[in-house]
Amino acid sequence: MTSSRTNPEGRPGASESAGSPAWELLLPAASAPARTRGRSLQAALREAVRSGRLVPGTRLPSSRDLAADLGVSRGLVTEAYEQLTAEGYLRSGRGAGTWVGGAVRAAHPRARDLAPRTPGSRADFVAGTPDLSLFPRTAWATAHRGVLAELPHQDLGYPDPRGLPRLRAALAELLARRRGVVADPERIVVVSGVAQATTLLGFALHAHGLPTVGVEDPGSPQHDALYAAAGVTTVAVPLDEDGVSLGPLRESGVRAVVTTPSHQFPTGIAYSARRRAELLDWARSVDGFVLEDDYDGDFRYDRAPVGALQGLDPDRVAYAGSVSKSLAPGLRLGWLLVPEALADEVVERKRTMDLGHPTIDQALFARFVERGDYDRQLRRCQRAYRERRDALVSALDEHLPGTEVSGIAAGLHVIATLPPRYGPQERFLARLATAGVTVRPLTDYAHARAEPDEKQGVRLVLGYAHLPATRIRDGVRLMAEAARD
Ligand SMILES: Cc1ncc(COP(=O)(O)O)c(C=O)c1O
């Protein structure tokens, strides 16, 4: 057995143990017949390392914790750790725990460990995707079986275009409790994500005589096209340190504005209490609406959760959210809380668009929420993402000293402002691209083409949630090497 006081990163605390996908992977082995359980557990652990699902350096939970999580005896886990350590898959050291060794080459690295958007990239920090390997497959499969057993035949017919009453009730409870929204199930529409909520609202605003909406600048690149599909034109409104700027908003003449007040995308600022109140006063004064995109509102790390703006005035604020950051974007499942004045148009549009959301998915998610599985998933992601954020911040500090990091209290990405010596931006980005590091500068999210302010330094939007901590550290190291060349 190899002995060492720290794991290979020299950072006993920086591990992927919290929320790692692998423990779930071990559950089927843990429920194997008692006679073969030990061997099954070893085989599953071996396969997780071989396949690359557990990357070198990943620290394993203590045998006591893993045994408790899996519901098996501690002796079985200890035996598995010892066996795999002897085989070279794992390493361990007195007081340093057990971690995945570096001797094994994954035969086929699992795509789910990689950011999927840039094949061939050595490190992909593009923001927007959660860690898809944290998807709770076992709990989802259990909920699916449960739903198929219990779903009344009539729920397999065309649904209410607003969604199944059971899911709307579950969402009302969840959103009131977690996000402080005023959640009347009658005003909830189940949608296929914030994207569909945006298009539906676009149609409703147009019908209401509001053919233009303000959008945050910088902001989400999706909004222009989504609103255009509903015949609505967007007008860029700049931000200041409190949120969307009121002066330019008033001057623009729009009567509706899209905002991300909990964690502005992409700058990461949280709208101040003053700006929230001003924004609502503005909406009342123009008889208009604020559209609240709460795309990552469930992820808070260092500060008390900021309640949703919608809770302050549900007749002026339309609130949209989805499971895209907490479970998986591929589920295409979200919700829209719609002000009364826009409700009929939104529901009618939803009906004509797709005759309602798939009912089995709705019932499944309702069950998932009702039984506490969704809260568990959020806690698990929160733990994993906080660790990854810490890994990113400390790697930037170590390898790119002088970098200022902001927007770190929440969400799945940060803004890193590099000292001006790393500029100019174009040259820096070209070097990163050559080194196989994929990043987006903040200027990419500006509404009109924005020239970087070279005196301010290069500003990068760095997504971290989809990357294990070891990859984050390797990626930042690559970045620093490319910057030096
Ligand atoms: C700010 C923002 N809003 C909305 C969306 C779309 O989310 P959904 O998958 O719920 O349609 C995204 C997607 O990444 C986003 O970044």
Side-chain angles (χ1 to χ4, degrees):
M1 200 182 282
T2 317
S3 194
S4 153
R5 292 213 62 80
T6 59
N7 68 19
E9 283 78 56
R11 291 168 51 86
S15 74
E16 278 86 59
S17 61
S20 165
W23 323 141
E24 186 159 299
L25 197 76
L26 301 178
L27 280 171
S31 52
R35 203 165 34 83
T36 56
R37 196 172 298 149
R39 256 182 296 130
S40 299
L41 194 60
Q42 291 173 21
L45 201 50
R46 199 180 288 114
E47 177 53 24
V49 178
R50 233 189 239 143
S51 65
R53 185 150 185 181
L54 279 177
V55 295
T58 301
R59 206 151 114 197
L60 278 78
S62 70
S63 53
R64 185 194 303 271
D65 285 353
L66 186 57
D69 277 2
L70 297 177
V72 300
S73 76
R74 191 175 172 192
L76 274 192
V77 176
T78 312
E79 213 176 288
Y81 280 7
E82 283 176 1
Q83 179 62 30
L84 270 82
T85 303
E87 292 175 13
Y89 288 91
L90 302 181
R91 297 181 66 194
S92 65
R94 194 188 299 272
T98 304
W99 63 91
V100 178
V104 183
R105 285 284 151 267
H108 46 91
R110 301 291 283 243
R112 63 175 137 242
D113 282 344
L114 302 166
R117 289 147 302 207
T118 321
S121 170
R122 294 171 76 192
D124 184 342
F125 286 102
V126 177
T129 313
D131 185 342
L132 302 176
S133 71
L134 291 181
F135 186 79
R137 288 172 188 255
T138 308
W140 198 257
T142 306
H144 197 230
R145 269 197 308 279
V147 159
L148 287 179
E150 77 196 7
L151 195 73
H153 295 323
Q154 75 209 38
D155 280 357
L156 290 167
Y158 289 109
D160 182 326
R162 292 173 301 174
L164 291 184
R166 176 181 174 185
L167 177 55
R168 286 186 283 121
L171 285 172
E173 185 280 324
L174 177 84
L175 297 172
R177 173 167 54 80
R178 292 196 72 97
R179 306 294 302 122
V181 304
V182 175
D184 175 354
E186 297 300 307
R187 295 255 204 97
I188 294 180
V189 182
V190 177
V191 292
S192 65
V194 174
Q196 189 182 47
T198 303
T199 311
L200 290 171
L201 283 169
F203 281 118
L205 291 170
H206 201 286
H208 208 77
L210 280 71
T212 50
V213 297
V215 291
E216 296 169 323
D217 187 13
S220 168
Q222 323 271 10
H223 286 139
D224 294 352
L226 293 170
Y227 280 111
V232 171
T233 312
T234 52
V235 177
V237 184
L239 303 174
D240 59 29
E241 64 277 11
D242 289 320
V244 76
S245 292
L246 257 292
L249 180 62
R250 288 195 191 97
E251 281 158 26
S252 71
V254 300
R255 287 170 49 213
V257 64
V258 191
T259 59
T260 45
S262 295
H263 187 240
Q264 200 276 331
F265 187 85
T267 64
I269 58 173
Y271 277 38
S272 65
R274 183 167 61 92
R275 184 55 45 85
R276 291 162 160 255
E278 288 170 347
L279 204 50
L280 294 175
D281 284 346
W282 165 83
R284 291 175 200 124
S285 72
V286 296
D287 189 19
F289 300 96
V290 179
L291 314 176
E292 179 174 23
D293 174 355
D294 200 25
Y295 70 104
D296 66 359
D298 272 306
F299 297 107
R300 292 284 162 277
Y301 306 119
D302 311 311
R303 57 173 158 80
V306 184
L309 188 64
Q310 189 265 5
L312 301 176
D313 194 343
D315 286 328
R316 293 284 166 203
V317 182
Y319 172 92
S322 75
V323 300
S324 291
K325 308 292 190 230
S326 51
L327 285 167
L331 290 179
R332 305 314 301 139
L333 181 61
W335 41 88
L336 171 61
L337 274 70
V338 62
E340 191 172 6
L342 302 175
D344 288 350
E345 182 65 26
V346 163
V347 174
E348 204 37 44
R349 280 287 173 180
K350 175 67 184 167
R351 186 200 307 277
T352 53
M353 217 178 249
D354 53 20
L355 300 182
H357 205 74
T359 53
I360 292 179
D361 292 356
Q362 290 192 58
L364 200 166
F365 188 56
R367 187 182 159 111
F368 207 72
V369 172
E370 289 159 2
R371 299 197 166 209
D373 289 322
Y374 191 58
D375 284 301
R376 252 188 301 285
Q377 169 73 0
L378 288 169
R379 282 198 298 277
R380 184 172 176 228
C381 292
Q382 177 109 355
R383 271 199 308 276
Y385 296 163
R386 180 192 277 124
E387 248 179 47
R388 292 167 191 205
R389 180 208 57 173
D390 291 348
L392 176 60
V393 172
S394 68
L396 287 167
D397 188 44
E398 183 182 340
H399 297 294
L400 292 162
T403 298
E404 273 178 36
V405 192
S406 58
I408 64 171
L412 281 59
H413 69 274
V414 299
I415 301 287
T417 305
L418 276 62
R421 66 175 182 279
Y422 289 107
Q425 177 168 303
E426 286 306 317
R427 195 183 64 191
F428 180 73
L429 294 176
R431 284 178 169 180
L432 294 196
T434 308
V437 181
T438 310
V439 294
R440 294 252 169 91
L442 185 60
T443 48
D444 272 11
Y445 297 87
H447 200 79
R449 189 177 152 67
E451 292 306 325
D453 179 351
E454 301 294 355
K455 280 203 293 297
Q456 262 212 337
V458 183
R459 303 187 81 191
L460 302 175
V461 180
L462 299 179
Y464 55 81
H466 59 289
L467 296 169
T470 44
R471 291 199 183 200
I472 291 173
R473 284 192 283 277
D474 290 347
V476 174
R477 203 178 305 126
L478 274 177
M479 238 193 260
E481 281 165 15
R484 268 199 303 276
D485 286 343

